[in-house]
Amino acid sequence: MIITLALITGLRRGELLGLEWHYIDWETGVISVEQSVSLSPGGDAHVKEPKTKGSRRKVAIPSAMLRELQVYRAHKADEFEKIGDRWQGNGRYVVFCHPDGKAFHQERPYLWFREFLKKNGLRYIRFHDLRHTSATLLINQGIYAKVISERLGHGNIGTTMNVYGHVLRTADQSAADKFESVLELKSDAIQHITDEI
C-alpha cells in the first residue's frame, strides 16, 4: 500500500509516515499533507511540520486508490481492536504504523522496500525514487509542470524544472515528433491539390 501511494502521490517518505487517517477526505479523494515523520537525535520517530511551506498541500488520488485505502483501513481497524489497551499511537492514528500503533522509524520503508525488490528479483532503486517515478509518469502523460510541482510540494516550479528538466525535454521532443505526421498529412494534401491542378 505504501508503494502504491508513493507512486500515485509522489509524497516524500516522511510525509507518507506522517499521514493520519483524518487527513484523507473520503468524499473528494484528496489527501492533505500536513505533517511528516523524522528522526529525533535519539533515533526515535517524531512528527513535525512538513519540509517547507509549499510542502503543505492537497493531493488528489484516483477512486481506485481510495477504494484500496478503505480496504486497508478496515484491516488496520481490526488490528486496533485486537491490540486494545496496548495501543501506543500516542493519540495519532497514522496510516502506516506497527500493529500497536507506534510510528514507523523513518528507515523502515526503505529497508522493507529493499528486501521486497531483492525477493522479487527486481532492479534496485531507492524508496525515494518512487517519488521521481511518479513525477516522470505524470510528465510522460502530458501533465503540466506546475501541477506536478504542486503535487510534489516543491517550493517553486524552478525546483521541478531543475530536477526533471531532462524528462521534460524528452517529453517536449516527443510532442514535436507528433507534429511530424500532421506536417506529412499537410504536405500530402498540398501535393494532391497540385497534382489535380
Side-chain angles (χ1 to χ4, degrees), residues 65-118:
M65 180 80 246
L66 199 62
R67 287 191 298 273
E68 284 191 40
L69 279 169
Q70 287 168 332
V71 171
Y72 181 68
R73 181 173 64 166
H75 164 73
K76 294 303 280 184
D78 285 345
E79 282 185 347
F80 177 69
E81 286 293 319
K82 288 175 187 167
I83 207 77
D85 60 0
R86 291 174 293 140
W87 181 257
Q88 294 184 39
N90 295 326
R92 296 186 187 277
Y93 296 90
V94 292
V95 175
F96 304 109
C97 61
H98 293 283
D100 64 0
K102 191 173 179 184
F104 278 144
H105 187 280
Q106 199 181 23
E107 291 299 309
R108 180 71 180 254
Y110 160 74
L111 295 171
W112 179 86
F113 186 56
R114 186 179 66 184
E115 285 304 308
F116 172 82
L117 293 173
K118 187 191 286 185

Coordinates of all heavy atoms in Angstrom, one line a residue, residues 65-118:
M65 N -7.6 4.0 -6.0 CA -6.7 4.1 -4.8 C -7.5 4.3 -3.5 O -7.1 3.8 -2.5 CB -5.7 5.3 -5.0 CG -4.7 5.4 -3.9 SD -3.3 4.3 -4.0 CE -3.6 3.3 -2.5
L66 N -8.5 5.2 -3.6 CA -9.3 5.4 -2.4 C -10.0 4.1 -2.0 O -10.0 3.9 -0.7 CB -10.4 6.5 -2.8 CG -11.1 7.2 -1.7 CD1 -10.0 8.0 -0.9 CD2 -12.2 8.1 -2.2
R67 N -10.5 3.3 -2.9 CA -11.1 2.0 -2.5 C -10.1 1.1 -1.8 O -10.4 0.4 -0.8 CB -11.7 1.3 -3.7 CG -13.0 2.0 -4.2 CD -13.7 1.2 -5.2 NE -12.9 1.0 -6.5 CZ -12.9 1.8 -7.5 NH1 -13.6 2.9 -7.5 NH2 -12.2 1.5 -8.6
E68 N -8.8 1.1 -2.4 CA -7.8 0.3 -1.8 C -7.5 0.7 -0.3 O -7.3 -0.1 0.6 CB -6.5 0.3 -2.6 CG -6.6 -0.6 -3.8 CD -5.3 -0.8 -4.5 OE1 -4.2 -0.9 -3.8 OE2 -5.2 -0.7 -5.8
L69 N -7.5 2.0 -0.2 CA -7.2 2.6 1.2 C -8.3 2.3 2.1 O -8.1 2.0 3.3 CB -7.0 4.1 1.1 CG -5.7 4.6 0.7 CD1 -5.7 6.1 0.4 CD2 -4.6 4.3 1.7
Q70 N -9.6 2.2 1.7 CA -10.7 1.8 2.5 C -10.6 0.4 3.0 O -10.8 0.1 4.2 CB -12.0 2.0 1.8 CG -12.4 3.5 1.7 CD -13.5 3.8 0.7 OE1 -13.7 3.0 -0.2 NE2 -14.2 4.9 0.9
V71 N -10.1 -0.5 2.1 CA -9.9 -1.9 2.5 C -8.8 -2.0 3.5 O -8.9 -2.7 4.5 CB -9.6 -2.8 1.2 CG1 -9.1 -4.2 1.6 CG2 -10.8 -2.8 0.3
Y72 N -7.7 -1.2 3.3 CA -6.6 -1.2 4.2 C -7.0 -0.6 5.5 O -6.5 -1.1 6.6 CB -5.4 -0.4 3.5 CG -4.2 -0.3 4.4 CD1 -3.4 -1.5 4.6 CD2 -3.8 0.9 4.9 CE1 -2.2 -1.4 5.4 CE2 -2.6 0.9 5.7 CZ -1.8 -0.2 5.9 OH -0.7 -0.2 6.7
R73 N -7.8 0.4 5.5 CA -8.3 1.0 6.8 C -9.1 0.0 7.6 O -8.9 -0.1 8.8 CB -9.1 2.2 6.5 CG -9.6 2.9 7.8 CD -10.3 4.2 7.5 NE -11.5 4.0 6.8 CZ -12.5 4.9 6.7 NH1 -12.4 6.1 7.2 NH2 -13.6 4.7 6.0
A74 N -9.9 -0.9 6.9 CA -10.6 -1.9 7.7 C -9.6 -2.9 8.3 O -9.8 -3.3 9.5 CB -11.6 -2.6 6.7
H75 N -8.6 -3.2 7.6 CA -7.5 -4.1 8.1 C -6.9 -3.5 9.4 O -6.7 -4.2 10.4 CB -6.5 -4.4 7.0 CG -5.2 -5.0 7.6 ND1 -5.1 -6.3 8.0 CD2 -4.0 -4.4 7.7 CE1 -3.8 -6.5 8.4 NE2 -3.2 -5.4 8.3
K76 N -6.5 -2.2 9.3 CA -5.9 -1.5 10.4 C -6.9 -1.4 11.6 O -6.5 -1.5 12.8 CB -5.4 -0.1 10.0 CG -4.3 -0.2 9.0 CD -3.0 -0.9 9.4 CE -2.2 -0.2 10.4 NZ -0.9 -0.9 10.7
A77 N -8.2 -1.3 11.3 CA -9.2 -1.2 12.4 C -9.2 -2.5 13.1 O -9.4 -2.5 14.4 CB -10.5 -0.8 11.8
D78 N -9.1 -3.6 12.4 CA -9.1 -4.9 13.0 C -7.9 -5.1 14.0 O -8.0 -5.6 15.1 CB -9.0 -6.1 12.0 CG -10.3 -6.3 11.3 OD1 -11.4 -5.8 11.8 OD2 -10.3 -6.9 10.2
E79 N -6.7 -4.6 13.5 CA -5.5 -4.6 14.4 C -5.8 -3.8 15.6 O -5.4 -4.2 16.7 CB -4.3 -4.0 13.6 CG -3.7 -4.9 12.6 CD -2.4 -4.3 12.0 OE1 -2.2 -3.1 12.1 OE2 -1.7 -5.1 11.3
F80 N -6.4 -2.6 15.5 CA -6.7 -1.7 16.6 C -7.6 -2.4 17.6 O -7.3 -2.3 18.8 CB -7.3 -0.4 16.1 CG -7.7 0.5 17.2 CD1 -6.8 1.2 17.9 CD2 -9.1 0.8 17.5 CE1 -7.1 2.1 18.9 CE2 -9.4 1.6 18.5 CZ -8.5 2.3 19.2
E81 N -8.6 -3.1 17.1 CA -9.5 -3.8 18.0 C -8.8 -4.9 18.8 O -9.0 -5.1 20.0 CB -10.6 -4.5 17.2 CG -11.7 -3.5 16.7 CD -12.5 -2.9 17.8 OE1 -12.9 -3.6 18.7 OE2 -12.7 -1.7 17.7
K82 N -7.9 -5.6 18.1 CA -7.1 -6.7 18.8 C -6.1 -6.2 19.8 O -5.9 -6.9 20.8 CB -6.4 -7.6 17.7 CG -7.3 -8.4 16.9 CD -6.6 -9.1 15.8 CE -7.5 -9.8 14.9 NZ -6.9 -10.3 13.6
I83 N -5.5 -5.1 19.6 CA -4.5 -4.6 20.4 C -5.0 -4.0 21.7 O -4.4 -4.0 22.8 CB -3.5 -3.6 19.7 CG1 -2.1 -3.6 20.3 CG2 -4.1 -2.2 19.7 CD1 -1.3 -4.7 19.9
G84 N -6.2 -3.4 21.6 CA -6.9 -2.9 22.8 C -6.1 -1.8 23.5 O -5.6 -0.9 23.0
D85 N -5.9 -2.0 24.9 CA -5.3 -1.0 25.7 C -3.8 -1.0 25.6 O -3.1 -0.3 26.2 CB -5.7 -1.2 27.2 CG -5.3 -2.5 27.7 OD1 -4.8 -3.4 27.0 OD2 -5.7 -2.8 28.9
R86 N -3.2 -1.9 24.7 CA -1.8 -1.9 24.5 C -1.4 -0.9 23.3 O -0.3 -0.9 22.9 CB -1.3 -3.3 24.1 CG -1.4 -4.3 25.3 CD -1.1 -5.7 25.0 NE -2.1 -6.2 24.1 CZ -1.9 -7.0 23.1 NH1 -0.7 -7.4 22.8 NH2 -2.9 -7.5 22.4
W87 N -2.4 -0.2 22.8 CA -2.2 0.8 21.8 C -1.1 1.8 22.1 O -1.2 2.4 23.2 CB -3.5 1.5 21.4 CG -3.4 2.5 20.3 CD1 -3.4 3.8 20.4 CD2 -3.4 2.2 18.9 NE1 -3.3 4.4 19.2 CE2 -3.3 3.4 18.3 CE3 -3.3 1.0 18.2 CZ2 -3.2 3.5 16.9 CZ3 -3.3 1.1 16.8 CH2 -3.2 2.3 16.2
Q88 N -0.2 2.1 21.2 CA 0.9 3.0 21.5 C 1.0 4.1 20.5 O 2.1 4.7 20.2 CB 2.2 2.3 21.6 CG 2.3 1.3 22.7 CD 3.7 0.7 22.8 OE1 4.7 1.3 22.6 NE2 3.7 -0.6 23.1
G89 N -0.2 4.5 19.9 CA -0.2 5.5 18.9 C -0.1 7.0 19.4 O 0.0 7.9 18.6
N90 N -0.1 7.2 20.7 CA 0.0 8.5 21.3 C -1.0 9.5 20.8 O -0.7 10.6 20.4 CB 1.5 9.1 21.1 CG 2.5 8.3 21.9 OD1 2.2 7.8 23.0 ND2 3.7 8.2 21.3
G91 N -2.2 9.0 20.6 CA -3.3 9.9 20.1 C -3.3 10.1 18.6 O -4.1 10.8 18.1
R92 N -2.4 9.5 17.9 CA -2.3 9.6 16.5 C -2.7 8.3 15.8 O -2.3 7.2 16.3 CB -0.9 10.0 16.0 CG -0.5 11.3 16.5 CD 0.9 11.7 15.9 NE 1.4 12.9 16.4 CZ 1.1 14.1 16.1 NH1 0.2 14.3 15.1 NH2 1.6 15.2 16.6
Y93 N -3.4 8.4 14.7 CA -3.8 7.2 14.0 C -3.2 7.3 12.6 O -3.9 7.7 11.7 CB -5.3 7.0 14.0 CG -5.9 6.8 15.4 CD1 -6.2 7.9 16.2 CD2 -5.9 5.5 15.9 CE1 -6.7 7.7 17.5 CE2 -6.4 5.3 17.2 CZ -6.8 6.4 18.0 OH -7.2 6.2 19.3
V94 N -1.9 6.9 12.5 CA -1.3 7.1 11.2 C -1.6 5.9 10.3 O -1.9 4.8 10.8 CB 0.3 7.2 11.4 CG1 0.6 8.6 12.0 CG2 0.9 6.1 12.2
V95 N -1.6 6.1 9.0 CA -1.9 5.1 8.1 C -0.9 3.9 8.1 O -1.3 2.8 8.1 CB -2.0 5.7 6.7 CG1 -2.3 4.6 5.6 CG2 -3.1 6.8 6.6
F96 N 0.4 4.3 8.2 CA 1.4 3.3 8.1 C 2.1 3.2 9.5 O 2.9 4.2 9.8 CB 2.4 3.5 7.0 CG 1.7 3.6 5.6 CD1 1.6 4.8 5.0 CD2 1.1 2.5 5.0 CE1 0.9 4.9 3.8 CE2 0.5 2.6 3.8 CZ 0.4 3.8 3.2
C97 N 1.9 2.2 10.2 CA 2.5 2.1 11.6 C 2.6 0.6 12.0 O 2.1 -0.3 11.2 CB 1.6 2.8 12.6 SG -0.1 2.2 12.7
H98 N 3.2 0.3 13.1 CA 3.3 -1.0 13.6 C 1.9 -1.4 14.1 O 1.0 -0.5 14.3 CB 4.2 -1.0 14.8 CG 5.7 -0.8 14.5 ND1 6.4 -1.8 13.9 CD2 6.5 0.3 14.6 CE1 7.7 -1.4 13.7 NE2 7.7 -0.1 14.1
P99 N 1.6 -2.7 14.2 CA 0.2 -3.1 14.6 C -0.2 -2.5 15.9 O -1.4 -2.3 16.1 CB 0.4 -4.7 14.8 CG 1.5 -5.0 13.8 CD 2.4 -3.8 13.9
D100 N 0.7 -2.1 16.8 CA 0.3 -1.5 18.1 C 0.1 0.0 18.0 O -0.1 0.7 19.0 CB 1.3 -1.8 19.2 CG 2.7 -1.2 18.9 OD1 2.9 -0.6 17.9 OD2 3.6 -1.5 19.8
G101 N 0.2 0.6 16.7 CA 0.0 2.0 16.5 C 1.3 2.8 16.6 O 1.3 4.0 16.3
K102 N 2.4 2.2 17.1 CA 3.6 3.0 17.2 C 4.1 3.4 15.8 O 4.1 2.6 14.9 CB 4.7 2.2 17.9 CG 5.9 2.9 18.3 CD 6.8 2.1 19.2 CE 8.0 2.9 19.6 NZ 9.0 2.1 20.3
A103 N 4.6 4.6 15.7 CA 5.1 5.1 14.4 C 6.3 4.3 13.9 O 7.1 3.9 14.7 CB 5.4 6.6 14.5
F104 N 6.3 4.1 12.6 CA 7.5 3.5 12.0 C 8.7 4.4 12.1 O 8.6 5.6 12.0 CB 7.2 3.2 10.5 CG 6.5 2.0 10.2 CD1 5.6 2.0 9.1 CD2 6.6 0.8 10.9 CE1 4.8 0.8 8.8 CE2 5.9 -0.3 10.7 CZ 5.0 -0.3 9.6
H105 N 9.8 3.8 12.2 CA 11.1 4.5 12.1 C 11.2 4.9 10.7 O 10.8 4.3 9.8 CB 12.2 3.5 12.5 CG 13.6 4.2 12.6 ND1 14.3 4.4 11.5 CD2 14.3 4.6 13.6 CE1 15.5 5.0 11.8 NE2 15.5 5.1 13.1
Q106 N 11.9 6.1 10.4 CA 11.9 6.6 9.1 C 12.6 5.7 8.1 O 12.3 5.7 6.9 CB 12.6 8.0 9.1 CG 12.4 8.8 7.9 CD 13.1 10.1 7.9 OE1 14.1 10.3 8.6 NE2 12.6 11.1 7.1
E107 N 13.5 4.8 8.5 CA 14.2 3.9 7.7 C 13.4 2.7 7.3 O 13.7 1.9 6.4 CB 15.5 3.5 8.3 CG 16.6 4.6 8.4 CD 16.9 5.1 7.0 OE1 17.3 4.3 6.1 OE2 16.9 6.4 6.8
R108 N 12.3 2.4 8.0 CA 11.5 1.2 7.8 C 11.1 1.0 6.4 O 11.2 -0.1 5.9 CB 10.3 1.2 8.8 CG 9.4 0.0 8.7 CD 10.1 -1.2 9.3 NE 9.3 -2.4 9.2 CZ 8.7 -2.9 10.2 NH1 8.8 -2.5 11.4 NH2 7.9 -4.0 10.1
P109 N 10.4 2.0 5.7 CA 10.0 1.8 4.3 C 11.2 1.4 3.4 O 11.1 0.6 2.6 CB 9.3 3.1 3.9 CG 9.0 3.7 5.2 CD 10.0 3.3 6.2
Y110 N 12.3 2.1 3.6 CA 13.5 1.9 2.8 C 13.9 0.4 2.9 O 14.2 -0.3 2.0 CB 14.6 2.9 3.1 CG 15.9 2.4 2.7 CD1 16.3 2.5 1.4 CD2 16.9 1.9 3.6 CE1 17.6 2.0 1.0 CE2 18.1 1.5 3.2 CZ 18.4 1.5 1.9 OH 19.7 1.0 1.5
L111 N 14.1 0.0 4.2 CA 14.6 -1.4 4.4 C 13.6 -2.4 3.9 O 14.0 -3.4 3.3 CB 14.8 -1.6 5.9 CG 15.9 -0.7 6.6 CD1 15.9 -0.8 8.1 CD2 17.3 -1.1 6.0
W112 N 12.3 -2.2 4.1 CA 11.3 -3.2 3.6 C 11.3 -3.2 2.1 O 11.3 -4.3 1.5 CB 9.9 -2.8 4.1 CG 8.9 -3.7 3.6 CD1 8.5 -4.9 4.2 CD2 8.1 -3.6 2.4 NE1 7.5 -5.5 3.4 CE2 7.3 -4.7 2.3 CE3 8.1 -2.6 1.4 CZ2 6.4 -4.9 1.3 CZ3 7.2 -2.8 0.4 CH2 6.4 -3.9 0.3
F113 N 11.4 -2.0 1.5 CA 11.4 -1.9 0.0 C 12.6 -2.6 -0.6 O 12.5 -3.3 -1.6 CB 11.3 -0.4 -0.4 CG 11.1 -0.2 -1.9 CD1 10.0 -0.8 -2.6 CD2 12.0 0.6 -2.6 CE1 9.9 -0.6 -3.9 CE2 11.8 0.8 -3.9 CZ 10.8 0.2 -4.6
R114 N 13.7 -2.4 0.0 CA 15.0 -3.1 -0.5 C 14.8 -4.6 -0.4 O 15.2 -5.2 -1.4 CB 16.1 -2.6 0.4 CG 17.5 -3.1 -0.1 CD 18.6 -2.6 0.8 NE 18.5 -3.3 2.1 CZ 19.3 -3.0 3.1 NH1 20.3 -2.1 3.0 NH2 19.2 -3.6 4.3
E115 N 14.3 -5.1 0.6 CA 14.0 -6.6 0.7 C 13.0 -7.1 -0.3 O 13.2 -8.1 -0.9 CB 13.6 -7.0 2.1 CG 14.7 -6.9 3.2 CD 15.9 -7.8 2.8 OE1 15.7 -9.0 2.4 OE2 17.0 -7.3 2.7
F116 N 12.0 -6.3 -0.5 CA 10.9 -6.6 -1.5 C 11.5 -6.7 -2.9 O 11.2 -7.6 -3.6 CB 9.8 -5.5 -1.4 CG 8.8 -5.6 -2.5 CD1 7.7 -6.5 -2.4 CD2 8.9 -4.8 -3.6 CE1 6.8 -6.6 -3.4 CE2 7.9 -5.0 -4.7 CZ 6.9 -5.8 -4.5
L117 N 12.4 -5.7 -3.2 CA 13.0 -5.8 -4.6 C 13.9 -7.0 -4.7 O 13.8 -7.7 -5.8 CB 13.8 -4.5 -4.8 CG 13.0 -3.2 -4.9 CD1 14.0 -2.0 -4.9 CD2 12.1 -3.2 -6.1
K118 N 14.7 -7.3 -3.7 CA 15.6 -8.4 -3.8 C 14.8 -9.7 -3.9 O 15.1 -10.6 -4.7 CB 16.5 -8.4 -2.5 CG 17.6 -9.4 -2.5 CD 18.3 -9.6 -1.2 CE 19.2 -8.4 -0.8 NZ 19.9 -8.7 0.4

